[in-house]
Amino acid sequence: MMPETLVKFGLKAALKDYCSSMTGNDTKVTLQFYGTEKGIGLNEQVTMYRVIQELINNAIKHAHASDVLVQYMRDGNKVDITVEDNGVGFNKENIVTKDGGMGLSNLRTRVAYLKGDLEFHSEENEGTTVNVQINVDAA
């Protein structure tokens, strides 16, 4: 299902909407958007949106985070996406040795589609930071 806001108004507007909708009594999701999505194809924007959506959902559902920070930074042909949370964190060994869940598999597939790199930094009881680096072909 295609996010209507993304199609009509672009990635920044769609992410703002999504972060607002995920902010509630127990959770605050903050978006910092630097640069532009202009020149990035719709399919790539949708994939970036889905990656960020999955990371936010994981932070809330699995990490029980009360604060989630989403950063989108574009500099030329490079896009850096960072999602940080103050949740329970996890032992990185578990994510490497096990296949993880369906969500993790989807994340890896989507980042691979974007020809990007995906890194997890987490300590138990210290939260998690996920970095995604993507090189885009600016039109």
Side-chain angles (χ1 to χ4, degrees), residues 18-19 21-24 26-29 53-68 83-88:
Y18 189 72
C19 290
S21 75
M22 296 307 286
T23 295
D26 299 330
T27 310
K28 180 181 177 205
V29 182
Q53 187 179 40
E54 181 72 31
L55 292 171
I56 292 169
N57 287 341
N58 287 351
I60 294 169
K61 181 178 172 186
H62 300 297
H64 311 289
S66 60
D67 256 318
V68 182
V83 178
E84 251 176 69
D85 70 61
N86 67 343
V88 297

Side-chain angles (χ1 to χ4, degrees), residues 41-110:
L42 183 61
N43 286 342
E44 287 77 12
Q45 287 186 50
V46 169
T47 304
M48 288 180 200
Y49 177 85
R50 295 284 182 231
V51 165
I52 293 168
Q53 187 179 40
E54 181 72 31
L55 292 171
I56 292 169
N57 287 341
N58 287 351
I60 294 169
K61 181 178 172 186
H62 300 297
H64 311 289
S66 60
D67 256 318
V68 182
L69 173 63
V70 178
Q71 292 179 316
Y72 171 99
M73 292 165 280
R74 177 164 178 202
D75 187 15
N77 289 351
K78 193 171 132 200
V79 174
D80 287 301
I81 295 167
T82 303
V83 178
E84 251 176 69
D85 70 61
N86 67 343
V88 297
F90 58 87
N91 181 336
K92 232 172 103 166
E93 298 301 311
N94 293 344
I95 206 166
V96 174
T97 55
K98 292 182 188 157
D99 194 11
M102 194 62 156
L104 188 58
S105 175
N106 287 342
L107 264 179
R108 287 191 170 123
T109 301
R110 287 180 172 133

